Amino acid sequence: MAERVHVREIEDDEGRRLLRIIRRGTGSVVTWRRAQMVLLSAQGMVVAKIAEVTFTSADRVRDVIHNFNNDGFDSLYPKYKGGRPKTFTLPERREIKKIAKSRPTEHGLPFSAWSLTKLADFLVAEGVVDDISHEGLRILLREEGVSFQRLKTWKTSRDPDYGQKARVELLYAIADGEVIPEADEPEFIFCIDEFGPLNLMPHPGRQWAERAGKHKDPDREPRRRRRATYNRYGGVRHLFAALDLTKNKLYGHIKPVKRRTQFLEFCRYLRTLHPPETRIAIVCDNFSPHLTTRKCQRVGTWAATNNVEIAYTPTNSSWLNRIEAQFTALRYFTLDGTDHATHKEQGSTIRRYITWCNRHVDDKRLRAVVDRANVA
C-alpha cells in the first residue's frame, strides 16, 4: 500500500509564516491557496479532506505538498516573468462577470455572497484564470459595471404563463445584438407604456439657492418655494411613450384618456416608422387596453393584419419593460421642481425633453439615471 502524502515536519517559525500568509488576505491568490494546503497537511488532515475543503483535486494537493517538501516556501510563490500583468481575454472577463453575479450556493458553496477573497479563490480553483489578485479582480469588476450592492425587494410573478410571456427576454437579446434573429423574428422592438396621470400641480424638486444660517447674505432674495394647492382643476393627461430598442429613440403622444382606442392609435403611428414588410414587436404590460379579450379583439386583429407581434410582460413583472427606466429619467430631468399652469405648457416641456433625449443618447448623466433604474 502506498504511503500517504503529508508535508514534512514544520518548525514554529515556518508555521507562523504560513499563518501570516493566510491571514494577510493580500497578494497572489495562488500563494494563499498553496499555503492553506500546506498548513492543513501540517495539522494532520489527509489529502482527500484537504481537496474537499479547498475545492480542488487531490492530485493538485499532492503536487503542492511535494513541491513544498522539496523547495520550501519558494514553491508557494508562482514563477512569473517580468512585464505588465496578463490581460484577461474577453471570454475570461465574461465568465468572471457571470460568476460574480451568480450566487455561491449555485456552485455548491455554503456562502450567501461573494467576497473578493472567495471569488478569486473560486476562479483559480475552477480554472477560469491562472491567477488574479484581489485588487485586480476589483478593478476588473468595476470596468465590467459590477459593484457590491444592497439587495432590494421585488415581487415574484405568479403568472401561470410566465414561461411563454418571458419571450420578451429573447426580444431584448435580439435588440441588443446578442442573438441573430431568424427569418420570422421581428427586426425592431418597441417597449410601450403609459406615464401619468399628468396633473397641473407643483412637483417637488431641488434648486440652487443662496444658503441660509450664520453665513447667509442679509441682502439675498427670498428662496423660491412651492405653492400650496388644495384644488386641482383642468383634468389630467396621459403620456403614451415608446422606446425603440434598436435605435434607442423615444416617441411620445399625450392623450386625454388611456383606452384601447388611444393605444391602437399610438401603435399605428409606430407601425408607420418602418416598412409594412418589416416585422416589429411591441412589448407592453397586462393593462386591460393592451389585451385582446373575448369582447374586444381589436388589438390582436390589428397586430395579425399589420405584421406586428404583441409581447406581454408576466404579471407583477412590469419591471421587465425597459420603458420604465425612461420614465424615471423623464421625471428626474423634466417634471421635478416644476409648476406648469396649463397642460399645453406641460406637454410642450415633455415633447422638448423627448427631442433632447434622442439627440443626446450618450449623455453621461442621462445614462446614469436610466441604468440605475433599469433592472431588465
Side-chain angles (χ1 to χ4, degrees):
M1 183 176 179
E3 184 181 356
R4 289 184 177 179
V5 177
H6 57 84
V7 73
R8 60 173 173 80
E9 186 176 352
I10 300 295
E11 298 179 359
D12 292 341
D13 293 341
E14 292 178 328
R16 286 191 292 269
R17 183 176 177 183
L18 288 172
L19 282 175
R20 285 198 301 269
I21 294 175
I22 295 174
R23 291 175 177 174
R24 184 166 59 238
T26 59
S28 173
V29 177
V30 174
T31 302
W32 181 85
R33 284 176 54 81
R34 292 174 181 176
Q36 184 187 28
M37 296 177 192
V38 172
L39 187 59
L40 291 175
S41 179
Q43 293 172 351
M45 188 177 292
V46 297
V47 170
K49 189 64 176 179
I50 295 175
E52 180 181 349
V53 171
T54 57
F55 305 102
T56 188
S57 64
D59 291 337
R60 181 178 177 84
V61 175
R62 293 189 187 96
D63 290 339
V64 171
I65 294 175
H66 283 309
N67 292 336
F68 183 83
N69 290 338
N70 296 330
D71 302 327
F73 280 88
D74 291 339
S75 65
L76 301 182
Y77 301 97
K79 303 299 187 294
Y80 296 132
K81 297 180 179 179
R84 60 171 293 177
K86 175 186 174 182
T87 302
F88 298 102
T89 63
L90 182 59
E92 289 176 340
R93 298 176 72 94
R94 288 179 176 175
E95 187 65 18
I96 293 173
K97 180 180 178 180
K98 178 181 177 181
I99 295 176
K101 293 170 63 178
S102 66
R103 296 181 179 179
T105 53
E106 298 175 6
H107 305 278
L109 301 178
F111 312 124
S112 61
W114 293 111
S115 65
L116 288 177
T117 301
K118 292 185 179 69
L119 180 58
D121 188 23
F122 181 80
L123 294 173
V124 174
E126 291 295 310
V128 179
V129 295
D130 296 333
D131 186 21
I132 186 170
S133 66
H134 302 154
E135 180 65 15
L137 177 59
R138 185 187 66 80
I139 294 175
L140 186 147
L141 292 177
R142 183 178 61 185
E143 293 174 350
E144 293 295 327
V146 178
S147 61
F148 201 71
Q149 303 174 11
R150 185 182 299 275
L151 292 176
K152 296 182 179 180
T153 59
W154 67 295
K155 293 182 178 179
T156 302
S157 176
R158 298 181 179 178
D159 195 332
D161 300 327
Y162 183 88
Q164 179 180 357
K165 291 182 178 179
R167 172 172 166 74
V168 296
E169 297 179 357
L170 175 60
L171 297 177
Y172 290 162
I174 294 175
D176 296 339
E178 299 176 357
V179 175
I180 300 177
E182 299 180 0
D184 56 342
E185 295 286 358
E187 300 181 26
F188 296 92
I189 292 91
F190 292 91
C191 291
I192 292 184
D193 201 3
E194 294 84 14
F195 179 77
L198 298 171
N199 293 290
L200 296 180
M201 56 175 286
H203 296 273
R206 296 177 180 272
Q207 64 171 349
W208 290 102
E210 294 188 51
R211 60 184 178 179
K214 182 172 63 175
H215 302 287
K216 65 181 181 181
D217 184 357
D219 299 327
R220 77 187 193 286
E221 296 180 356
R223 181 177 298 177
R224 190 177 63 190
R225 298 180 180 273
R226 292 170 54 202
R227 67 182 177 93
T229 56
Y230 303 96
N231 300 304
R232 294 169 185 166
Y233 303 104
V236 299
R237 299 292 185 271
H238 303 273
L239 171 65
F240 286 78
L243 174 65
D244 188 342
L245 299 182
T246 307
K247 297 182 179 180
N248 200 16
K249 293 186 63 176
L250 273 175
Y251 303 93
H253 288 173
I254 297 178
K255 305 286 186 180
V257 294
K258 51 177 183 179
R259 299 196 180 106
R260 189 171 283 109
T261 300
Q262 288 72 27
F263 173 70
L264 285 174
E265 288 177 357
F266 188 54
C267 290
R268 293 190 189 100
Y269 165 74
L270 297 178
R271 175 68 273 189
T272 62
L273 300 177
H274 300 287
E277 61 274 8
T278 301
R279 186 167 178 78
I280 67 173
I282 295 178
V283 177
C284 55
D285 56 22
N286 295 272
F287 183 43
S288 57
H290 304 164
L291 303 177
T292 300
T293 62
R294 186 180 304 175
K295 294 183 178 180
C296 183
Q297 301 182 359
R298 286 189 295 165
V299 175
T301 302
W302 174 84
T305 306
N306 293 272
N307 197 19
V308 177
E309 175 186 350
I310 305 293
Y312 298 98
T313 59
T315 306
N316 292 336
S317 296
S318 60
W319 49 268
L320 276 173
N321 197 334
R322 292 187 177 180
I323 192 66
E324 297 290 344
Q326 300 294 332
F327 290 157
T328 301
L330 169 64
R331 186 181 296 106
Y332 179 85
F333 286 105
T334 306
L335 296 181
D336 285 355
T338 61
D339 185 10
H340 298 107
T342 63
H343 283 293
K344 181 178 180 180
E345 178 186 354
Q346 187 179 60
S348 175
T349 302
I350 293 175
R351 284 188 288 269
R352 285 188 288 114
Y353 165 77
I354 293 176
T355 302
W356 175 89
C357 186
N358 292 333
R359 292 178 179 175
H360 300 82
V361 176
D362 297 327
D363 184 80
K364 292 183 179 180
R365 184 58 179 166
L366 174 62
R367 293 259 49 89
V369 174
V370 172
D371 293 342
R372 186 169 61 247
N374 200 351
V375 295

